[in-house]
Amino acid sequence: MNNITRVGIVGTGLIGKGIALEVEKQSELKLSTVLTRRDISTMNEYPFREALTNSVDELIGNCELVVECSGDVIYGTEVIDQAIKASLPVVTMNAELQVTTGSYFAKRGFITEAEGDQPGCLASLHENVLEMGFKPLVYGNIKGFLKLDPVLEDMEYFSKRNGVRLDMTTSFTDGTKVQVEQVLVANGLGAGIAVEGLLAPSSDDLNETGAELAEEANRLGYPISEFVLAPKAPPGVFITAEHDSRQKDALRYFKMGDGPYYTILQNFHLCHLEVVKTIKRVINGGGVLLNNGEDPTLSVAAITKRTLQPGEKVDKGIGSFQVRGEAVRLATNKNHVPIGLLVNAVMKRQVEEGEIVTFDDVELPESLALTAWLETTNKAPVNI
């Protein structure tokens, strides 16, 4: 790549705009194009209006690296496909896309999730603790609040207050987002889960809860990806790990406790402010930080929040009031529909509250995302 790398961004929301502001500050980076589906003539307040385009071809033709942060699985998949075909490296802040179609692209080109959201932060922390000789047992995400079936009025209030889209606010609240994030972490870092839907213990002491989860990981025989409900804890991530017993006295002196389990906390994740670190990692040859892997073992199924009727339309599953996402094992849920594919879908038969939506239950429109999922899971084409 050139000394100055031209960066193209997909998305103009909170995250996309924030990344653009940070890219423009860097001497070795240049903001080239920003792809949006909005009417550019109405975007006078966007800080880099001259960079805006509605053309995927213009984006691809004018950059050397693509950052995808549209928050849209179906659309993002189409754009990334064009970038990969053009041999461009892709950095995402779109865990929902990664767990749905990321593996399809991991086999075809360079795609990595960025630091900033919890999965990328956990991947970075993972590299750090390995360098210090730790053996990770728990990849932990910290969540302050969870309500599996929030009401519309509350979500509208918090969406407006925080300046975040309604569907995103809802997916944060009902647990879909954290389930997606921890599935990406597990697939990307070679971990598993203790139970489908995750254990999600409540915690007033991360060291104590981390140790309990580490015990479970040792019982299972593999590291686990999890989240804790800890309203008093900082909005970060943690890894609970073992270490060489010969370092026990030193670790006690370093205020890490008596072991055998040690919890290493990163007490923040700063979303778009951290993405530049991953961009620089990529252009400097640092390789993939995290992606969904070529052969994932976990997915995020759509669980109904209420009974869905034949003919009912699901405009978008993630962040809806019809379904929420839950981590599941692919080996035992081969016919589930990933929640990221539930877009403009029509129910074919009744699905009771609390059940997993399967391909037999719903009619999905054709899309590259659907094709990618079927290839990734080695499924024969279904009637779509």
Side-chain angles (χ1 to χ4, degrees), residues 312-355:
E312 183 172 347
K313 186 176 181 182
V314 180
D315 293 322
K316 184 182 179 184
I318 295 175
S320 78
F321 295 90
Q322 296 161 296
V323 295
R324 60 179 176 83
E326 192 169 287
V328 296
R329 298 181 179 93
L330 281 169
T332 52
N333 295 275
K334 294 180 179 180
N335 202 36
H336 82 282
V337 177
I339 192 168
L341 290 182
L342 273 183
V343 178
N344 296 323
V346 178
M347 301 304 299
K348 294 193 293 187
R349 61 187 190 182
Q350 182 169 305
V351 181
E352 299 298 327
E353 179 181 344
E355 292 184 351

Short mmCIF file of all heavy atoms in Angstrom, two decimals, residues 312-355:
data_model
loop_
_atom_site.label_atom_id
_atom_site.label_comp_id
_atom_site.label_asym_id
_atom_site.label_seq_id
_atom_site.Cartn_x
_atom_site.Cartn_y
_atom_site.Cartn_z
N GLU A 312 -47.55 -13.42 8.70
CA GLU A 312 -46.98 -12.28 9.40
C GLU A 312 -45.60 -11.96 8.83
O GLU A 312 -44.78 -12.85 8.58
CB GLU A 312 -46.88 -12.58 10.90
CG GLU A 312 -46.36 -11.42 11.73
CD GLU A 312 -46.46 -11.68 13.23
OE1 GLU A 312 -47.14 -12.65 13.63
OE2 GLU A 312 -45.84 -10.91 13.99
N LYS A 313 -45.33 -10.68 8.65
CA LYS A 313 -44.05 -10.26 8.09
C LYS A 313 -43.09 -9.85 9.20
O LYS A 313 -43.48 -9.20 10.16
CB LYS A 313 -44.24 -9.08 7.12
CG LYS A 313 -42.96 -8.69 6.38
CD LYS A 313 -43.23 -7.58 5.37
CE LYS A 313 -41.95 -7.22 4.62
NZ LYS A 313 -42.15 -6.11 3.65
N VAL A 314 -41.85 -10.27 9.05
CA VAL A 314 -40.77 -9.83 9.94
C VAL A 314 -39.88 -8.92 9.10
O VAL A 314 -39.12 -9.39 8.26
CB VAL A 314 -39.96 -11.02 10.50
CG1 VAL A 314 -38.85 -10.52 11.41
CG2 VAL A 314 -40.87 -11.98 11.24
N ASP A 315 -40.00 -7.61 9.32
CA ASP A 315 -39.23 -6.67 8.53
C ASP A 315 -37.74 -6.81 8.80
O ASP A 315 -36.92 -6.80 7.88
CB ASP A 315 -39.67 -5.23 8.81
CG ASP A 315 -41.09 -4.96 8.33
OD1 ASP A 315 -41.45 -5.47 7.26
OD2 ASP A 315 -41.82 -4.24 9.03
N LYS A 316 -37.37 -6.91 10.07
CA LYS A 316 -35.98 -7.10 10.46
C LYS A 316 -35.96 -7.75 11.82
O LYS A 316 -36.48 -7.21 12.80
CB LYS A 316 -35.24 -5.76 10.50
CG LYS A 316 -33.76 -5.89 10.81
CD LYS A 316 -33.08 -4.52 10.88
CE LYS A 316 -31.60 -4.68 11.21
NZ LYS A 316 -30.93 -3.36 11.38
N GLY A 317 -35.37 -8.93 11.90
CA GLY A 317 -35.39 -9.69 13.14
C GLY A 317 -34.59 -9.05 14.26
O GLY A 317 -35.04 -8.95 15.40
N ILE A 318 -33.37 -8.58 13.94
CA ILE A 318 -32.51 -7.99 14.96
C ILE A 318 -33.10 -6.65 15.40
O ILE A 318 -33.29 -5.74 14.59
CB ILE A 318 -31.08 -7.79 14.41
CG1 ILE A 318 -30.45 -9.15 14.12
CG2 ILE A 318 -30.24 -7.01 15.41
CD1 ILE A 318 -29.09 -9.06 13.46
N GLY A 319 -33.41 -6.55 16.67
CA GLY A 319 -33.98 -5.32 17.21
C GLY A 319 -35.48 -5.22 17.04
O GLY A 319 -36.04 -4.13 17.18
N SER A 320 -36.14 -6.34 16.76
CA SER A 320 -37.59 -6.31 16.57
C SER A 320 -38.31 -6.64 17.88
O SER A 320 -37.68 -6.98 18.89
CB SER A 320 -38.01 -7.32 15.50
OG SER A 320 -38.01 -8.64 16.02
N PHE A 321 -39.63 -6.54 17.83
CA PHE A 321 -40.45 -6.92 18.98
C PHE A 321 -41.13 -8.26 18.73
O PHE A 321 -42.05 -8.64 19.45
CB PHE A 321 -41.47 -5.81 19.28
CG PHE A 321 -40.81 -4.53 19.70
CD1 PHE A 321 -40.45 -3.59 18.77
CD2 PHE A 321 -40.51 -4.30 21.03
CE1 PHE A 321 -39.81 -2.41 19.14
CE2 PHE A 321 -39.87 -3.12 21.43
CZ PHE A 321 -39.52 -2.18 20.47
N GLN A 322 -40.62 -8.98 17.72
CA GLN A 322 -41.13 -10.31 17.38
C GLN A 322 -40.17 -11.42 17.79
O GLN A 322 -40.60 -12.49 18.20
CB GLN A 322 -41.39 -10.39 15.86
CG GLN A 322 -42.48 -9.44 15.38
CD GLN A 322 -42.38 -9.19 13.89
OE1 GLN A 322 -41.39 -8.63 13.41
NE2 GLN A 322 -43.40 -9.60 13.15
N VAL A 323 -38.87 -11.17 17.64
CA VAL A 323 -37.86 -12.19 17.95
C VAL A 323 -36.66 -11.54 18.62
O VAL A 323 -36.45 -10.34 18.54
CB VAL A 323 -37.38 -12.94 16.67
CG1 VAL A 323 -38.50 -13.74 16.04
CG2 VAL A 323 -36.78 -11.95 15.65
N ARG A 324 -35.88 -12.36 19.28
CA ARG A 324 -34.59 -11.96 19.84
C ARG A 324 -33.57 -13.04 19.48
O ARG A 324 -33.93 -14.15 19.09
CB ARG A 324 -34.67 -11.76 21.35
CG ARG A 324 -35.07 -13.03 22.10
CD ARG A 324 -35.12 -12.83 23.61
NE ARG A 324 -35.59 -14.02 24.29
CZ ARG A 324 -34.82 -15.05 24.61
NH1 ARG A 324 -33.52 -15.02 24.33
NH2 ARG A 324 -35.33 -16.10 25.22
N GLY A 325 -32.30 -12.72 19.62
CA GLY A 325 -31.25 -13.66 19.25
C GLY A 325 -30.71 -14.44 20.43
O GLY A 325 -30.64 -13.92 21.56
N GLU A 326 -30.33 -15.68 20.18
CA GLU A 326 -29.78 -16.54 21.23
C GLU A 326 -28.71 -17.44 20.65
O GLU A 326 -28.89 -18.04 19.58
CB GLU A 326 -30.90 -17.37 21.85
CG GLU A 326 -30.51 -18.08 23.13
CD GLU A 326 -31.71 -18.67 23.84
OE1 GLU A 326 -32.49 -17.90 24.43
OE2 GLU A 326 -31.88 -19.91 23.80
N ALA A 327 -27.58 -17.55 21.33
CA ALA A 327 -26.47 -18.39 20.89
C ALA A 327 -26.87 -19.86 20.87
O ALA A 327 -27.42 -20.36 21.85
CB ALA A 327 -25.27 -18.19 21.81
N VAL A 328 -26.59 -20.54 19.76
CA VAL A 328 -26.90 -21.97 19.63
C VAL A 328 -25.74 -22.68 18.95
O VAL A 328 -24.94 -22.07 18.24
CB VAL A 328 -28.20 -22.22 18.82
CG1 VAL A 328 -29.40 -21.65 19.52
CG2 VAL A 328 -28.08 -21.69 17.40
N ARG A 329 -25.68 -23.99 19.17
CA ARG A 329 -24.68 -24.82 18.51
C ARG A 329 -25.20 -25.25 17.14
O ARG A 329 -26.33 -25.73 17.02
CB ARG A 329 -24.35 -26.05 19.36
CG ARG A 329 -23.75 -25.70 20.73
CD ARG A 329 -23.41 -26.95 21.53
NE ARG A 329 -22.82 -26.62 22.81
CZ ARG A 329 -23.49 -26.47 23.94
NH1 ARG A 329 -24.83 -26.65 23.94
NH2 ARG A 329 -22.88 -26.16 25.07
N LEU A 330 -24.37 -25.10 16.13
CA LEU A 330 -24.78 -25.47 14.78
C LEU A 330 -25.05 -26.96 14.67
O LEU A 330 -25.97 -27.38 13.95
CB LEU A 330 -23.69 -25.07 13.78
CG LEU A 330 -23.65 -23.59 13.39
CD1 LEU A 330 -22.37 -23.28 12.63
CD2 LEU A 330 -24.86 -23.23 12.55
N ALA A 331 -24.29 -27.76 15.38
CA ALA A 331 -24.41 -29.21 15.23
C ALA A 331 -25.78 -29.72 15.62
O ALA A 331 -26.27 -30.72 15.06
CB ALA A 331 -23.33 -29.92 16.07
N THR A 332 -26.44 -29.05 16.55
CA THR A 332 -27.74 -29.52 17.04
C THR A 332 -28.89 -28.61 16.63
O THR A 332 -30.03 -28.83 17.05
CB THR A 332 -27.71 -29.65 18.57
OG1 THR A 332 -27.25 -28.42 19.15
CG2 THR A 332 -26.79 -30.78 19.01
N ASN A 333 -28.60 -27.61 15.81
CA ASN A 333 -29.65 -26.69 15.34
C ASN A 333 -29.46 -26.40 13.86
O ASN A 333 -29.40 -25.24 13.43
CB ASN A 333 -29.61 -25.39 16.15
CG ASN A 333 -29.95 -25.59 17.61
OD1 ASN A 333 -31.12 -25.60 17.98
ND2 ASN A 333 -28.92 -25.75 18.43
N LYS A 334 -29.36 -27.46 13.08
CA LYS A 334 -28.99 -27.31 11.67
C LYS A 334 -30.03 -26.58 10.84
O LYS A 334 -29.70 -26.02 9.79
CB LYS A 334 -28.70 -28.69 11.07
CG LYS A 334 -27.48 -29.37 11.69
CD LYS A 334 -27.21 -30.73 11.07
CE LYS A 334 -25.98 -31.38 11.69
NZ LYS A 334 -25.70 -32.71 11.11
N ASN A 335 -31.27 -26.57 11.28
CA ASN A 335 -32.33 -25.96 10.46
C ASN A 335 -32.77 -24.59 10.96
O ASN A 335 -33.73 -24.02 10.45
CB ASN A 335 -33.54 -26.90 10.39
CG ASN A 335 -34.42 -26.62 9.17
OD1 ASN A 335 -33.92 -26.28 8.10
ND2 ASN A 335 -35.72 -26.75 9.34
N HIS A 336 -32.08 -24.05 11.95
CA HIS A 336 -32.48 -22.74 12.47
C HIS A 336 -32.17 -21.65 11.45
O HIS A 336 -31.27 -21.77 10.63
CB HIS A 336 -31.76 -22.44 13.78
CG HIS A 336 -30.37 -21.90 13.58
ND1 HIS A 336 -29.29 -22.70 13.27
CD2 HIS A 336 -29.88 -20.62 13.63
CE1 HIS A 336 -28.22 -21.96 13.14
NE2 HIS A 336 -28.54 -20.68 13.34
N VAL A 337 -32.94 -20.58 11.49
CA VAL A 337 -32.66 -19.40 10.68
C VAL A 337 -31.85 -18.43 11.51
O VAL A 337 -32.31 -17.98 12.57
CB VAL A 337 -33.96 -18.72 10.20
CG1 VAL A 337 -33.63 -17.44 9.42
CG2 VAL A 337 -34.78 -19.66 9.34
N PRO A 338 -30.64 -18.07 11.08
CA PRO A 338 -29.89 -17.04 11.81
C PRO A 338 -30.69 -15.75 11.86
O PRO A 338 -31.29 -15.35 10.86
CB PRO A 338 -28.62 -16.87 10.97
CG PRO A 338 -28.53 -18.08 10.12
CD PRO A 338 -29.93 -18.55 9.89
N ILE A 339 -30.70 -15.10 13.00
CA ILE A 339 -31.53 -13.91 13.14
C ILE A 339 -31.13 -12.82 12.15
O ILE A 339 -31.96 -12.02 11.72
CB ILE A 339 -31.49 -13.40 14.60
CG1 ILE A 339 -32.59 -12.35 14.83
CG2 ILE A 339 -30.11 -12.90 14.99
CD1 ILE A 339 -32.82 -11.99 16.28
N GLY A 340 -29.87 -12.81 11.73
CA GLY A 340 -29.43 -11.82 10.76
C GLY A 340 -30.05 -11.96 9.39
O GLY A 340 -30.05 -11.02 8.59
N LEU A 341 -30.60 -13.15 9.07
CA LEU A 341 -31.26 -13.38 7.78
C LEU A 341 -32.74 -13.04 7.81
O LEU A 341 -33.38 -13.01 6.75
CB LEU A 341 -31.09 -14.84 7.35
CG LEU A 341 -29.70 -15.29 6.93
CD1 LEU A 341 -29.74 -16.76 6.48
CD2 LEU A 341 -29.12 -14.41 5.82
N LEU A 342 -33.28 -12.79 8.99
CA LEU A 342 -34.71 -12.49 9.09
C LEU A 342 -34.96 -11.03 8.71
O LEU A 342 -35.12 -10.15 9.56
CB LEU A 342 -35.23 -12.77 10.49
CG LEU A 342 -35.69 -14.19 10.80
CD1 LEU A 342 -36.23 -14.27 12.22
CD2 LEU A 342 -36.74 -14.68 9.81
N VAL A 343 -34.98 -10.79 7.41
CA VAL A 343 -35.22 -9.45 6.86
C VAL A 343 -36.23 -9.58 5.74
O VAL A 343 -36.04 -10.40 4.82
CB VAL A 343 -33.92 -8.82 6.34
CG1 VAL A 343 -34.19 -7.45 5.73
CG2 VAL A 343 -32.87 -8.70 7.46
N ASN A 344 -37.33 -8.83 5.81
CA ASN A 344 -38.41 -8.94 4.82
C ASN A 344 -38.86 -10.40 4.65
O ASN A 344 -39.10 -10.88 3.55
CB ASN A 344 -37.97 -8.36 3.48
CG ASN A 344 -37.68 -6.88 3.55
OD1 ASN A 344 -38.37 -6.14 4.25
ND2 ASN A 344 -36.66 -6.43 2.85
N ALA A 345 -38.98 -11.06 5.77
CA ALA A 345 -39.37 -12.47 5.80
C ALA A 345 -40.86 -12.60 6.10
O ALA A 345 -41.44 -11.74 6.79
CB ALA A 345 -38.56 -13.21 6.85
N VAL A 346 -41.47 -13.66 5.61
CA VAL A 346 -42.90 -13.91 5.82
C VAL A 346 -43.07 -15.28 6.46
O VAL A 346 -42.55 -16.29 5.94
CB VAL A 346 -43.69 -13.83 4.50
CG1 VAL A 346 -45.16 -14.12 4.75
CG2 VAL A 346 -43.52 -12.45 3.85
N MET A 347 -43.79 -15.31 7.57
CA MET A 347 -44.02 -16.58 8.25
C MET A 347 -44.92 -17.48 7.41
O MET A 347 -45.93 -17.03 6.87
CB MET A 347 -44.65 -16.35 9.62
CG MET A 347 -43.83 -15.47 10.56
SD MET A 347 -42.15 -16.08 10.85
CE MET A 347 -42.50 -17.68 11.61
N LYS A 348 -44.55 -18.74 7.30
CA LYS A 348 -45.34 -19.73 6.57
C LYS A 348 -46.24 -20.54 7.50
O LYS A 348 -47.25 -21.09 7.05
CB LYS A 348 -44.43 -20.68 5.79
CG LYS A 348 -43.64 -19.99 4.67
CD LYS A 348 -42.99 -21.00 3.74
CE LYS A 348 -41.89 -21.78 4.43
NZ LYS A 348 -41.14 -22.64 3.47
N ARG A 349 -45.85 -20.63 8.76
CA ARG A 349 -46.68 -21.37 9.71
C ARG A 349 -46.51 -20.79 11.11
O ARG A 349 -45.61 -19.98 11.35
CB ARG A 349 -46.33 -22.86 9.68
CG ARG A 349 -44.91 -23.20 10.05
CD ARG A 349 -44.68 -24.70 9.82
NE ARG A 349 -43.40 -25.13 10.37
CZ ARG A 349 -42.94 -26.36 10.26
NH1 ARG A 349 -43.65 -27.28 9.60
NH2 ARG A 349 -41.79 -26.71 10.78
N GLN A 350 -47.35 -21.18 12.00
CA GLN A 350 -47.35 -20.62 13.35
C GLN A 350 -46.14 -21.12 14.13
O GLN A 350 -45.80 -22.30 14.10
CB GLN A 350 -48.64 -21.02 14.06
CG GLN A 350 -48.78 -20.45 15.47
CD GLN A 350 -50.18 -20.65 16.03
OE1 GLN A 350 -51.16 -20.25 15.41
NE2 GLN A 350 -50.26 -21.29 17.18
N VAL A 351 -45.50 -20.20 14.84
CA VAL A 351 -44.40 -20.54 15.73
C VAL A 351 -44.71 -19.98 17.10
O VAL A 351 -44.96 -18.78 17.24
CB VAL A 351 -43.05 -19.98 15.21
CG1 VAL A 351 -41.92 -20.39 16.15
CG2 VAL A 351 -42.77 -20.46 13.79
N GLU A 352 -44.75 -20.84 18.08
CA GLU A 352 -45.16 -20.44 19.42
C GLU A 352 -44.08 -19.61 20.11
O GLU A 352 -42.90 -19.66 19.77
CB GLU A 352 -45.47 -21.69 20.27
CG GLU A 352 -46.58 -22.56 19.73
CD GLU A 352 -47.92 -21.85 19.67
OE1 GLU A 352 -48.16 -20.98 20.54
OE2 GLU A 352 -48.71 -22.16 18.77
N GLU A 353 -44.50 -18.83 21.10
CA GLU A 353 -43.59 -18.01 21.88
C GLU A 353 -42.47 -18.86 22.48
O GLU A 353 -42.71 -19.94 23.02
CB GLU A 353 -44.36 -17.31 23.00
CG GLU A 353 -43.50 -16.44 23.90
CD GLU A 353 -44.29 -15.78 25.01
OE1 GLU A 353 -45.55 -15.76 24.93
OE2 GLU A 353 -43.66 -15.29 25.97
N GLY A 354 -41.24 -18.38 22.35
CA GLY A 354 -40.10 -19.06 22.95
C GLY A 354 -39.48 -20.13 22.08
O GLY A 354 -38.50 -20.77 22.49
N GLU A 355 -40.00 -20.34 20.87
CA GLU A 355 -39.46 -21.36 19.98
C GLU A 355 -38.45 -20.76 19.00
O GLU A 355 -38.47 -19.56 18.71
CB GLU A 355 -40.58 -22.06 19.20
CG GLU A 355 -41.49 -22.91 20.08
CD GLU A 355 -42.54 -23.67 19.25
OE1 GLU A 355 -42.65 -23.39 18.03
OE2 GLU A 355 -43.21 -24.54 19.83
#
